[in-house]
Amino acid sequence: MSPLSRRQLLALGAAGAGAAAVGGAGLWWSSGGGESLGDGRELAQPEVLAGRGGVLDLALAAAPAEVRIGARTAHVQAYNGSLPGPTLRVRPGDTLRVAMTNGLEAPTNLHVHGLHVSPRANGDNPFVSIGPGESFDYEFVLPEDHPPGTYWYHPHHHGHVADQIAAGLYGVIVVEDPDPVPVARERVLVVSDLTLDGSGEPAEVSPPQRMMGREGETVLVNGQVRPEATAAPGERELWRVVNACPSRYLRLSLDGQELRLSGRDAGRLTEPVELTEVALAPGNRAELLVDAREGTSRLTAAPVDRGSMAGMMGGAMPGDGPGTDEPVDLLTFQVTGDRVRDPGPVPPGPSLRDLRDEPPAARRTLDFAMGMGMGMGMGGTMGGMRGPGAMASFTIDGRGFDPERTDQQVRAGTVEEWTLVNSSPMDHPVHLHVWPVQVVTEGGREVPEPRWLDVVNVPAFGEVTVRVAFDDFTGRTVYHCHILDHEDLGMMGTVEAR
Ligand code: C2O
Ligand code: CU
Ligand code: CU
């Protein structure tokens, strides 16, 4: 793929004529854990926990779990025993309370990715550590004007994030739209990937795989291998797609169907956008409207070239170069039966705030870089390396993560412009907690419409400029690469609003 088309894709853009889509959600071990899911199985949906009277109160246990993946028994880690964990449905203005317990052997914590909530105390605080056997009570208060949309939750304990998400710890948060698009049904489709070893445990991840960002052999939708979803011709569905893979980028298409993007990370679009493909970096979400046409379609994830370490190594290395694999089938979409009545036009969404009209109080440049660690020979000796000393360094502005250090000090209530520079040969999907960002320029070109995201891909040797409105909250939180191996290896910084 040319760099240009890649950049367009990674901007959640669309191209060409035809049809594309994304797919599938489901709770995989729906009835007692004895069933084997996989080809030809109906796409399951995770259990839904919905708020009432402005509050959603729940207990969430992160613990080892035994589930079926395809025909195999897998020993994973899951929230409340299911993969994905329960879907949490709240409304703008609601309070979400989570009594979290850690049944794992490593420390963990909980992050509500994309929610615009306080980072302090028992809010969305990435510095909390919940030891094995311990509990912690979280409370997240959504502002009344919180954007409706598809968000997600996952662990965020530095050093364990990639391992825990890869092992199965993730779930969806839906902030309901007071003025929803009429649809026959909506589905969540959580795409994840993992590699199981011979005994059904998550496989060991080698140092080169961590540096590249691990990609699992098996790609799942709601914990299922190639499930099947069915609809009648003319039915409109809303698919809430989450890329929960630690490192894998997804370039999704749904042959034979028309797809419209109705929302991205940070909420609904003013008008849905027709597209043939949608690209999701790790952490990104897309809300897709599918107006079902008769026939059988496949939701596939095509490979994405996200760069490699070859440029640093003086040669290719084993496990290098994702993006060279074959497309992966994720889901079969079966549309048959009597045609239903036309669901009518999609009502317009809200008009979006445009920070280009708001002068920035400060401008900053952040440099995302990789350097060679100790003991890294040029001759491809990496496969035999052991221990952290053998790792390349992953830095922002030349420094690895230090939770005690405040890297960026911002004034609450102001707009800032951040230029994200990637001086490495691999893409880095950059994510800021609490405050969504508006992409202003990418590759030196202005983005015409207000494009709001919370994970922004910064291509290898490229740069992206965003504006951030540090509204509502004070406190300290983080920004990082959402290739979670990179985050665990140090590509994370702290920001304090005061
Ligand atoms: Cu989805 Cu800081 O994370
Ligand atoms: Cu996040
Ligand atoms: Cu990265």
Side-chain angles (χ1 to χ4, degrees), residues 428-490:
H428 298 294
V430 175
H431 171 52
L432 171 65
H433 286 206
V434 180
W435 299 279
V437 306
Q438 181 186 344
V439 183
V440 175
T441 59
E442 33 173 31
R445 293 195 311 190
E446 202 156 317
V447 175
E449 83 292 350
R451 183 191 296 155
W452 287 90
L453 293 171
D454 56 47
V455 179
V456 177
N457 191 60
V458 186
F461 299 119
E463 66 176 61
V464 174
T465 301
V466 301
R467 287 197 182 178
V468 192
F470 287 96
D471 291 335
D472 302 331
F473 304 112
T474 57
R476 254 172 119 246
T477 189
V478 294
Y479 50 89
H480 59 89
C481 178
H482 217 286
I483 289 177
L484 296 167
D485 286 299
H486 295 177
E487 182 272 300
D488 282 331
L489 290 169

Short mmCIF file of all heavy atoms in Angstrom, two decimals, residues 428-490:
data_model
loop_
_atom_site.label_atom_id
_atom_site.label_comp_id
_atom_site.label_asym_id
_atom_site.label_seq_id
_atom_site.Cartn_x
_atom_site.Cartn_y
_atom_site.Cartn_z
N HIS A 428 3.10 4.77 15.71
CA HIS A 428 2.67 4.76 17.11
C HIS A 428 1.29 5.39 17.23
O HIS A 428 1.11 6.57 16.88
CB HIS A 428 3.66 5.52 17.99
CG HIS A 428 5.03 4.93 17.99
ND1 HIS A 428 5.32 3.70 18.53
CD2 HIS A 428 6.20 5.40 17.49
CE1 HIS A 428 6.60 3.43 18.36
NE2 HIS A 428 7.16 4.45 17.73
N PRO A 429 0.30 4.63 17.68
CA PRO A 429 -1.03 5.19 17.92
C PRO A 429 -1.07 5.90 19.27
O PRO A 429 -0.98 5.25 20.31
CB PRO A 429 -1.95 3.96 17.89
CG PRO A 429 -1.07 2.80 18.27
CD PRO A 429 0.34 3.17 17.89
N VAL A 430 -1.14 7.21 19.26
CA VAL A 430 -0.97 8.00 20.48
C VAL A 430 -2.33 8.28 21.12
O VAL A 430 -3.27 8.71 20.45
CB VAL A 430 -0.22 9.30 20.17
CG1 VAL A 430 -0.14 10.19 21.41
CG2 VAL A 430 1.19 8.99 19.66
N HIS A 431 -2.40 8.03 22.41
CA HIS A 431 -3.65 8.12 23.16
C HIS A 431 -3.48 9.03 24.36
O HIS A 431 -2.50 8.93 25.08
CB HIS A 431 -4.04 6.71 23.62
CG HIS A 431 -5.19 6.65 24.57
ND1 HIS A 431 -6.40 7.26 24.32
CD2 HIS A 431 -5.33 6.03 25.77
CE1 HIS A 431 -7.23 7.02 25.34
NE2 HIS A 431 -6.60 6.28 26.23
N LEU A 432 -4.43 9.93 24.56
CA LEU A 432 -4.47 10.79 25.75
C LEU A 432 -5.70 10.42 26.56
O LEU A 432 -6.79 10.28 26.00
CB LEU A 432 -4.54 12.26 25.32
CG LEU A 432 -4.80 13.31 26.40
CD1 LEU A 432 -3.66 13.39 27.42
CD2 LEU A 432 -5.02 14.70 25.75
N HIS A 433 -5.52 10.26 27.86
CA HIS A 433 -6.66 9.97 28.74
C HIS A 433 -7.49 11.24 28.98
O HIS A 433 -6.98 12.35 28.86
CB HIS A 433 -6.17 9.45 30.09
CG HIS A 433 -5.64 8.05 30.04
ND1 HIS A 433 -5.63 7.23 31.13
CD2 HIS A 433 -5.13 7.31 29.02
CE1 HIS A 433 -5.13 6.04 30.80
NE2 HIS A 433 -4.80 6.08 29.52
N VAL A 434 -8.72 11.06 29.37
CA VAL A 434 -9.65 12.08 29.87
C VAL A 434 -10.14 13.06 28.79
O VAL A 434 -11.32 13.32 28.69
CB VAL A 434 -9.08 12.88 31.07
CG1 VAL A 434 -10.08 13.94 31.56
CG2 VAL A 434 -8.71 11.94 32.23
N TRP A 435 -9.20 13.63 28.01
CA TRP A 435 -9.58 14.65 27.06
C TRP A 435 -9.42 14.15 25.62
O TRP A 435 -8.29 13.83 25.21
CB TRP A 435 -8.73 15.91 27.25
CG TRP A 435 -8.89 16.53 28.60
CD1 TRP A 435 -9.89 17.36 29.01
CD2 TRP A 435 -8.00 16.37 29.73
NE1 TRP A 435 -9.69 17.73 30.33
CE2 TRP A 435 -8.55 17.14 30.79
CE3 TRP A 435 -6.82 15.66 29.94
CZ2 TRP A 435 -7.94 17.21 32.05
CZ3 TRP A 435 -6.22 15.73 31.18
CH2 TRP A 435 -6.78 16.51 32.22
N PRO A 436 -10.50 14.09 24.86
CA PRO A 436 -10.36 13.70 23.44
C PRO A 436 -9.61 14.80 22.69
O PRO A 436 -9.49 15.92 23.18
CB PRO A 436 -11.80 13.58 22.95
CG PRO A 436 -12.61 14.42 23.87
CD PRO A 436 -11.89 14.42 25.20
N VAL A 437 -9.10 14.46 21.52
CA VAL A 437 -8.33 15.44 20.75
C VAL A 437 -8.96 15.63 19.37
O VAL A 437 -9.61 14.74 18.84
CB VAL A 437 -6.85 15.01 20.60
CG1 VAL A 437 -6.23 14.74 21.96
CG2 VAL A 437 -6.71 13.79 19.71
N GLN A 438 -8.76 16.82 18.83
CA GLN A 438 -9.18 17.09 17.46
C GLN A 438 -7.96 17.09 16.56
O GLN A 438 -7.01 17.84 16.79
CB GLN A 438 -9.91 18.43 17.35
CG GLN A 438 -10.37 18.71 15.92
CD GLN A 438 -10.97 20.09 15.75
OE1 GLN A 438 -11.33 20.76 16.74
NE2 GLN A 438 -11.07 20.54 14.51
N VAL A 439 -7.98 16.24 15.54
CA VAL A 439 -6.85 16.17 14.61
C VAL A 439 -6.94 17.37 13.68
O VAL A 439 -7.95 17.58 13.01
CB VAL A 439 -6.87 14.87 13.80
CG1 VAL A 439 -5.63 14.79 12.90
CG2 VAL A 439 -6.94 13.66 14.72
N VAL A 440 -5.88 18.17 13.65
CA VAL A 440 -5.89 19.41 12.87
C VAL A 440 -5.11 19.24 11.57
O VAL A 440 -5.59 19.60 10.51
CB VAL A 440 -5.33 20.57 13.72
CG1 VAL A 440 -5.20 21.83 12.90
CG2 VAL A 440 -6.22 20.81 14.93
N THR A 441 -3.90 18.69 11.65
CA THR A 441 -3.15 18.40 10.42
C THR A 441 -2.51 17.04 10.55
O THR A 441 -2.10 16.60 11.63
CB THR A 441 -2.01 19.42 10.16
OG1 THR A 441 -1.12 19.40 11.26
CG2 THR A 441 -2.53 20.82 9.94
N GLU A 442 -2.43 16.35 9.42
CA GLU A 442 -1.63 15.11 9.38
C GLU A 442 -0.83 15.12 8.09
O GLU A 442 -1.34 15.53 7.05
CB GLU A 442 -2.49 13.85 9.50
CG GLU A 442 -3.83 13.96 8.89
CD GLU A 442 -4.60 12.65 8.88
OE1 GLU A 442 -4.41 11.84 9.79
OE2 GLU A 442 -5.36 12.46 7.93
N GLY A 443 0.43 14.71 8.21
CA GLY A 443 1.33 14.73 7.06
C GLY A 443 1.40 16.11 6.44
O GLY A 443 1.52 16.25 5.23
N GLY A 444 1.30 17.15 7.26
CA GLY A 444 1.41 18.51 6.76
C GLY A 444 0.15 19.04 6.11
O GLY A 444 0.11 20.19 5.68
N ARG A 445 -0.89 18.23 6.04
CA ARG A 445 -2.12 18.70 5.40
C ARG A 445 -3.23 18.88 6.40
O ARG A 445 -3.38 18.11 7.35
CB ARG A 445 -2.56 17.70 4.33
CG ARG A 445 -1.56 17.68 3.18
CD ARG A 445 -2.14 17.00 1.98
NE ARG A 445 -2.73 15.72 2.35
CZ ARG A 445 -3.14 14.84 1.46
NH1 ARG A 445 -3.04 15.10 0.17
NH2 ARG A 445 -3.66 13.69 1.85
N GLU A 446 -4.01 19.92 6.17
CA GLU A 446 -5.09 20.21 7.10
C GLU A 446 -6.24 19.21 6.95
O GLU A 446 -6.55 18.79 5.84
CB GLU A 446 -5.59 21.63 6.84
CG GLU A 446 -6.30 22.16 8.04
CD GLU A 446 -6.32 23.67 8.10
OE1 GLU A 446 -5.28 24.31 7.82
OE2 GLU A 446 -7.39 24.18 8.44
N VAL A 447 -6.81 18.82 8.05
CA VAL A 447 -7.98 17.94 8.03
C VAL A 447 -9.21 18.83 7.92
O VAL A 447 -9.42 19.69 8.78
CB VAL A 447 -8.04 17.11 9.33
CG1 VAL A 447 -9.31 16.27 9.39
CG2 VAL A 447 -6.80 16.23 9.46
N PRO A 448 -10.02 18.67 6.87
CA PRO A 448 -11.09 19.64 6.64
C PRO A 448 -12.18 19.65 7.73
O PRO A 448 -12.53 20.72 8.22
CB PRO A 448 -11.69 19.22 5.29
CG PRO A 448 -11.12 17.87 4.96
CD PRO A 448 -9.91 17.67 5.79
N GLU A 449 -12.67 18.50 8.14
CA GLU A 449 -13.81 18.51 9.07
C GLU A 449 -13.28 18.33 10.49
O GLU A 449 -12.17 17.86 10.69
CB GLU A 449 -14.81 17.43 8.68
CG GLU A 449 -14.53 16.02 9.17
CD GLU A 449 -13.31 15.32 8.56
OE1 GLU A 449 -12.75 15.84 7.57
OE2 GLU A 449 -12.90 14.28 9.09
N PRO A 450 -14.05 18.71 11.50
CA PRO A 450 -13.58 18.45 12.88
C PRO A 450 -13.55 16.95 13.15
O PRO A 450 -14.60 16.32 13.19
CB PRO A 450 -14.63 19.14 13.76
CG PRO A 450 -15.51 19.92 12.86
CD PRO A 450 -15.36 19.38 11.48
N ARG A 451 -12.37 16.41 13.26
CA ARG A 451 -12.24 14.97 13.48
C ARG A 451 -11.76 14.70 14.91
O ARG A 451 -10.63 14.99 15.25
CB ARG A 451 -11.25 14.36 12.49
CG ARG A 451 -11.15 12.83 12.63
CD ARG A 451 -10.00 12.26 11.87
NE ARG A 451 -10.16 12.45 10.44
CZ ARG A 451 -9.13 12.48 9.59
NH1 ARG A 451 -7.90 12.33 10.02
NH2 ARG A 451 -9.35 12.66 8.32
N TRP A 452 -12.66 14.17 15.72
CA TRP A 452 -12.39 13.93 17.13
C TRP A 452 -12.05 12.47 17.37
O TRP A 452 -12.79 11.58 16.96
CB TRP A 452 -13.61 14.33 17.97
CG TRP A 452 -13.75 15.81 18.05
CD1 TRP A 452 -14.44 16.62 17.21
CD2 TRP A 452 -13.16 16.65 19.03
NE1 TRP A 452 -14.31 17.94 17.60
CE2 TRP A 452 -13.53 17.98 18.73
CE3 TRP A 452 -12.34 16.42 20.15
CZ2 TRP A 452 -13.12 19.08 19.50
CZ3 TRP A 452 -11.93 17.51 20.92
CH2 TRP A 452 -12.32 18.83 20.58
N LEU A 453 -10.93 12.24 18.05
CA LEU A 453 -10.48 10.88 18.34
C LEU A 453 -9.88 10.86 19.73
O LEU A 453 -9.56 11.91 20.29
CB LEU A 453 -9.39 10.46 17.33
CG LEU A 453 -9.78 10.28 15.87
CD1 LEU A 453 -8.53 10.08 15.02
CD2 LEU A 453 -10.72 9.08 15.69
N ASP A 454 -9.68 9.65 20.27
CA ASP A 454 -8.83 9.60 21.46
C ASP A 454 -7.57 8.77 21.23
O ASP A 454 -6.68 8.77 22.08
CB ASP A 454 -9.59 9.19 22.72
CG ASP A 454 -10.32 7.87 22.62
OD1 ASP A 454 -9.70 6.91 22.15
OD2 ASP A 454 -11.50 7.81 23.03
N VAL A 455 -7.49 8.07 20.10
CA VAL A 455 -6.23 7.44 19.69
C VAL A 455 -5.95 7.92 18.27
O VAL A 455 -6.78 7.78 17.38
CB VAL A 455 -6.32 5.90 19.68
CG1 VAL A 455 -5.00 5.30 19.21
CG2 VAL A 455 -6.70 5.35 21.05
N VAL A 456 -4.78 8.52 18.08
CA VAL A 456 -4.42 9.11 16.80
C VAL A 456 -3.16 8.42 16.29
O VAL A 456 -2.14 8.41 16.97
CB VAL A 456 -4.10 10.61 16.98
CG1 VAL A 456 -3.66 11.23 15.67
CG2 VAL A 456 -5.30 11.34 17.55
N ASN A 457 -3.25 7.84 15.10
CA ASN A 457 -2.05 7.18 14.60
C ASN A 457 -1.04 8.20 14.10
O ASN A 457 -1.36 9.06 13.28
CB ASN A 457 -2.39 6.20 13.48
CG ASN A 457 -1.21 5.33 13.15
OD1 ASN A 457 -0.72 4.61 14.02
ND2 ASN A 457 -0.69 5.43 11.95
N VAL A 458 0.19 8.06 14.58
CA VAL A 458 1.28 8.91 14.08
C VAL A 458 2.20 7.99 13.28
O VAL A 458 2.89 7.14 13.84
CB VAL A 458 2.05 9.59 15.24
CG1 VAL A 458 3.07 10.56 14.68
CG2 VAL A 458 1.08 10.30 16.18
N PRO A 459 2.18 8.14 11.95
CA PRO A 459 2.92 7.20 11.10
C PRO A 459 4.43 7.28 11.32
O PRO A 459 4.95 8.32 11.76
CB PRO A 459 2.58 7.63 9.67
CG PRO A 459 1.51 8.64 9.77
CD PRO A 459 1.50 9.18 11.17
N ALA A 460 5.11 6.20 11.01
CA ALA A 460 6.57 6.15 11.07
C ALA A 460 7.16 7.37 10.37
O ALA A 460 6.75 7.70 9.26
CB ALA A 460 7.06 4.86 10.39
N PHE A 461 8.06 8.05 11.05
CA PHE A 461 8.73 9.26 10.53
C PHE A 461 7.73 10.33 10.08
O PHE A 461 8.04 11.16 9.22
CB PHE A 461 9.69 8.90 9.38
CG PHE A 461 10.78 7.96 9.79
CD1 PHE A 461 10.91 6.71 9.19
CD2 PHE A 461 11.67 8.31 10.80
CE1 PHE A 461 11.91 5.82 9.59
CE2 PHE A 461 12.67 7.43 11.21
CZ PHE A 461 12.79 6.19 10.60
N GLY A 462 6.55 10.32 10.66
CA GLY A 462 5.54 11.30 10.30
C GLY A 462 5.17 12.16 11.48
O GLY A 462 5.73 12.03 12.58
N GLU A 463 4.25 13.08 11.28
CA GLU A 463 3.74 13.86 12.41
C GLU A 463 2.29 14.24 12.21
O GLU A 463 1.79 14.30 11.10
CB GLU A 463 4.60 15.10 12.68
CG GLU A 463 4.59 16.15 11.59
CD GLU A 463 5.40 17.37 12.02
OE1 GLU A 463 6.62 17.23 12.25
OE2 GLU A 463 4.82 18.46 12.11
N VAL A 464 1.64 14.47 13.35
CA VAL A 464 0.22 14.81 13.39
C VAL A 464 0.07 15.94 14.40
O VAL A 464 0.69 15.91 15.46
CB VAL A 464 -0.62 13.59 13.83
CG1 VAL A 464 -2.08 13.97 14.02
CG2 VAL A 464 -0.50 12.44 12.82
N THR A 465 -0.73 16.93 14.06
CA THR A 465 -1.00 18.01 15.02
C THR A 465 -2.44 17.91 15.50
O THR A 465 -3.36 17.74 14.69
CB THR A 465 -0.75 19.38 14.36
OG1 THR A 465 0.60 19.42 13.91
CG2 THR A 465 -0.98 20.51 15.35
N VAL A 466 -2.60 18.00 16.80
CA VAL A 466 -3.93 17.92 17.39
C VAL A 466 -4.16 19.13 18.29
O VAL A 466 -3.20 19.78 18.73
CB VAL A 466 -4.11 16.63 18.23
CG1 VAL A 466 -3.89 15.38 17.37
CG2 VAL A 466 -3.17 16.61 19.44
N ARG A 467 -5.43 19.44 18.52
CA ARG A 467 -5.75 20.41 19.57
C ARG A 467 -6.55 19.72 20.65
O ARG A 467 -7.35 18.82 20.38
CB ARG A 467 -6.53 21.59 18.99
CG ARG A 467 -5.61 22.48 18.16
CD ARG A 467 -6.17 23.85 17.90
NE ARG A 467 -5.22 24.60 17.07
CZ ARG A 467 -5.42 25.82 16.63
NH1 ARG A 467 -6.55 26.48 16.94
NH2 ARG A 467 -4.51 26.42 15.89
N VAL A 468 -6.30 20.17 21.88
CA VAL A 468 -6.93 19.56 23.04
C VAL A 468 -7.56 20.67 23.87
O VAL A 468 -6.90 21.66 24.17
CB VAL A 468 -5.89 18.84 23.93
CG1 VAL A 468 -6.59 17.97 24.97
CG2 VAL A 468 -4.90 18.03 23.11
N ALA A 469 -8.82 20.50 24.23
CA ALA A 469 -9.46 21.44 25.16
C ALA A 469 -9.43 20.80 26.54
O ALA A 469 -10.11 19.80 26.79
CB ALA A 469 -10.90 21.70 24.73
N PHE A 470 -8.60 21.36 27.42
CA PHE A 470 -8.47 20.79 28.76
C PHE A 470 -9.63 21.25 29.64
O PHE A 470 -9.44 22.00 30.60
CB PHE A 470 -7.10 21.12 29.34
CG PHE A 470 -5.99 20.32 28.69
CD1 PHE A 470 -5.25 20.86 27.66
CD2 PHE A 470 -5.75 19.01 29.08
CE1 PHE A 470 -4.26 20.11 27.03
CE2 PHE A 470 -4.76 18.26 28.45
CZ PHE A 470 -4.02 18.81 27.42
N ASP A 471 -10.81 20.80 29.27
CA ASP A 471 -12.04 21.22 29.94
C ASP A 471 -12.30 20.44 31.22
O ASP A 471 -11.92 19.28 31.33
CB ASP A 471 -13.24 20.97 29.02
CG ASP A 471 -13.25 21.89 27.81
OD1 ASP A 471 -12.67 22.97 27.88
OD2 ASP A 471 -13.86 21.50 26.79
N ASP A 472 -13.01 21.07 32.10
CA ASP A 472 -13.72 20.45 33.23
C ASP A 472 -12.87 19.93 34.38
O ASP A 472 -13.23 20.16 35.52
CB ASP A 472 -14.61 19.27 32.76
CG ASP A 472 -15.64 19.72 31.73
OD1 ASP A 472 -16.05 20.89 31.79
OD2 ASP A 472 -16.01 18.90 30.87
N PHE A 473 -11.80 19.21 34.10
CA PHE A 473 -11.16 18.49 35.19
C PHE A 473 -9.74 18.99 35.45
O PHE A 473 -9.04 19.37 34.52
CB PHE A 473 -11.11 17.00 34.90
CG PHE A 473 -12.47 16.42 34.62
CD1 PHE A 473 -12.80 15.97 33.36
CD2 PHE A 473 -13.43 16.38 35.63
CE1 PHE A 473 -14.07 15.46 33.10
CE2 PHE A 473 -14.70 15.88 35.38
CZ PHE A 473 -15.02 15.42 34.11
N THR A 474 -9.34 18.92 36.70
CA THR A 474 -7.94 19.07 37.04
C THR A 474 -7.45 17.72 37.54
O THR A 474 -8.24 16.84 37.86
CB THR A 474 -7.74 20.12 38.15
OG1 THR A 474 -8.52 19.72 39.30
CG2 THR A 474 -8.18 21.50 37.70
N GLY A 475 -6.13 17.59 37.57
CA GLY A 475 -5.55 16.34 38.05
C GLY A 475 -4.53 15.81 37.07
O GLY A 475 -4.27 16.42 36.04
N ARG A 476 -3.96 14.67 37.45
CA ARG A 476 -2.86 14.09 36.67
C ARG A 476 -3.29 12.81 35.99
O ARG A 476 -3.95 11.97 36.58
CB ARG A 476 -1.72 13.73 37.62
CG ARG A 476 -0.54 14.65 37.56
CD ARG A 476 0.40 14.29 38.69
NE ARG A 476 1.67 13.87 38.16
CZ ARG A 476 2.17 12.66 38.27
NH1 ARG A 476 1.51 11.72 38.91
NH2 ARG A 476 3.34 12.37 37.74
N THR A 477 -2.86 12.66 34.75
CA THR A 477 -3.12 11.41 34.06
C THR A 477 -2.01 11.16 33.05
O THR A 477 -0.91 11.73 33.19
CB THR A 477 -4.53 11.39 33.43
OG1 THR A 477 -4.80 10.07 32.96
CG2 THR A 477 -4.66 12.40 32.29
N VAL A 478 -2.26 10.30 32.06
CA VAL A 478 -1.19 9.89 31.15
C VAL A 478 -1.59 9.99 29.69
O VAL A 478 -2.77 10.07 29.36
CB VAL A 478 -0.76 8.42 31.44
CG1 VAL A 478 -0.12 8.28 32.79
CG2 VAL A 478 -1.93 7.45 31.29
N TYR A 479 -0.57 10.00 28.85
CA TYR A 479 -0.72 9.79 27.41
C TYR A 479 0.33 8.75 27.04
O TYR A 479 1.36 8.64 27.70
CB TYR A 479 -0.52 11.09 26.61
CG TYR A 479 0.75 11.84 26.98
CD1 TYR A 479 1.95 11.56 26.34
CD2 TYR A 479 0.74 12.77 28.01
CE1 TYR A 479 3.11 12.21 26.70
CE2 TYR A 479 1.90 13.43 28.37
CZ TYR A 479 3.08 13.15 27.72
OH TYR A 479 4.23 13.79 28.09
N HIS A 480 0.05 8.00 26.00
CA HIS A 480 0.97 6.90 25.69
C HIS A 480 0.70 6.32 24.32
O HIS A 480 -0.32 6.61 23.70
CB HIS A 480 0.86 5.79 26.75
CG HIS A 480 -0.52 5.19 26.89
ND1 HIS A 480 -0.95 4.12 26.15
CD2 HIS A 480 -1.56 5.54 27.68
CE1 HIS A 480 -2.19 3.82 26.49
NE2 HIS A 480 -2.60 4.67 27.41
N CYS A 481 1.62 5.47 23.89
CA CYS A 481 1.39 4.68 22.68
C CYS A 481 0.43 3.56 23.03
O CYS A 481 0.62 2.85 24.02
CB CYS A 481 2.70 4.10 22.16
SG CYS A 481 2.42 3.07 20.70
N HIS A 482 -0.61 3.37 22.19
CA HIS A 482 -1.59 2.30 22.47
C HIS A 482 -1.20 0.97 21.83
O HIS A 482 -1.98 0.02 21.85
CB HIS A 482 -3.01 2.72 22.09
CG HIS A 482 -4.05 2.22 23.06
ND1 HIS A 482 -4.44 0.89 23.07
CD2 HIS A 482 -4.75 2.82 24.03
CE1 HIS A 482 -5.36 0.73 24.02
NE2 HIS A 482 -5.57 1.88 24.62
N ILE A 483 0.01 0.88 21.26
CA ILE A 483 0.61 -0.45 21.09
C ILE A 483 1.09 -0.76 22.49
O ILE A 483 2.05 -0.17 22.99
CB ILE A 483 1.75 -0.44 20.05
CG1 ILE A 483 1.14 -0.25 18.66
CG2 ILE A 483 2.57 -1.73 20.12
CD1 ILE A 483 2.15 -0.14 17.54
N LEU A 484 0.35 -1.63 23.18
CA LEU A 484 0.47 -1.67 24.63
C LEU A 484 1.81 -2.24 25.09
O LEU A 484 2.26 -1.95 26.19
CB LEU A 484 -0.72 -2.40 25.23
CG LEU A 484 -2.02 -1.63 24.93
CD1 LEU A 484 -3.24 -2.47 25.22
CD2 LEU A 484 -2.08 -0.31 25.70
N ASP A 485 2.46 -3.01 24.23
CA ASP A 485 3.82 -3.42 24.55
C ASP A 485 4.73 -2.19 24.61
O ASP A 485 5.61 -2.12 25.46
CB ASP A 485 4.34 -4.42 23.51
CG ASP A 485 3.71 -5.80 23.69
OD1 ASP A 485 3.89 -6.39 24.76
OD2 ASP A 485 3.01 -6.26 22.77
N HIS A 486 4.53 -1.24 23.70
CA HIS A 486 5.34 -0.02 23.74
C HIS A 486 5.06 0.78 25.00
O HIS A 486 5.98 1.33 25.63
CB HIS A 486 5.07 0.84 22.50
CG HIS A 486 5.50 0.21 21.21
ND1 HIS A 486 5.29 0.79 19.99
CD2 HIS A 486 6.15 -0.97 20.97
CE1 HIS A 486 5.77 -0.01 19.03
NE2 HIS A 486 6.30 -1.07 19.61
N GLU A 487 3.81 0.84 25.38
CA GLU A 487 3.46 1.54 26.62
C GLU A 487 4.17 0.88 27.80
O GLU A 487 4.82 1.55 28.61
CB GLU A 487 1.92 1.53 26.78
CG GLU A 487 1.42 2.27 28.01
CD GLU A 487 1.37 1.38 29.22
OE1 GLU A 487 0.67 0.36 29.20
OE2 GLU A 487 2.06 1.70 30.20
N ASP A 488 4.08 -0.45 27.89
CA ASP A 488 4.74 -1.16 29.00
C ASP A 488 6.26 -1.00 28.96
O ASP A 488 6.92 -1.08 29.99
CB ASP A 488 4.38 -2.65 28.96
CG ASP A 488 2.97 -2.94 29.50
OD1 ASP A 488 2.50 -2.17 30.36
OD2 ASP A 488 2.37 -3.93 29.06
N LEU A 489 6.81 -0.79 27.76
CA LEU A 489 8.26 -0.60 27.64
C LEU A 489 8.67 0.85 27.89
O LEU A 489 9.84 1.19 27.76
CB LEU A 489 8.74 -1.07 26.26
CG LEU A 489 8.69 -2.60 26.04
CD1 LEU A 489 8.93 -2.95 24.58
CD2 LEU A 489 9.70 -3.32 26.93
N GLY A 490 7.71 1.72 28.19
CA GLY A 490 8.09 3.07 28.63
C GLY A 490 7.56 4.21 27.80
O GLY A 490 7.80 5.38 28.15
#
